[in-house]
Amino acid sequence: MTINELAAILARNNSDEQSAIEGYCKILNIPNLPQELYDDIREIMSDEMNHSMKLSAWVTHLTGVVPNKT
């Protein structure tokens, strides 16, 4: 496996993390759920965001490609 293949796998995993966050945002829009569920979903989203940041950092490290600053 090449570095670019590994980076592609990590990028795909990062995409999956983002998809999970999208799904959790939809759950947060459901009215009248128990507050504990909302709190747990926010905690889970925070974990997913942390994972996403780490995966993105690894893709940057492995490829040497740095995000543009706009």
Side-chain angles (χ1 to χ4, degrees), residues 28-48:
L28 290 177
N29 286 326
I30 298 170
N32 302 319
L33 293 176
Q35 184 62 45
E36 185 178 8
L37 177 56
Y38 286 117
D39 295 343
D40 285 347
I41 294 298
R42 286 186 188 99
E43 180 184 341
I44 292 167
M45 286 177 66
S46 178
D47 290 342
E48 300 291 356

Side-chain angles (χ1 to χ4, degrees), residues 5 7 12 18-19 24 26 35 45:
E5 289 169 331
R12 176 62 186 159
Q18 294 300 313
S19 293
Y24 294 130
K26 290 177 182 178
Q35 184 62 45
M45 286 177 66

Side-chain angles (χ1 to χ4, degrees), residues 1-3 7 29 31 35 43 55 57 59 61 64:
M1 175 178 293
T2 68
I3 294 297
N29 286 326
Q35 184 62 45
E43 180 184 341
L55 290 167
V59 171
H61 176 78

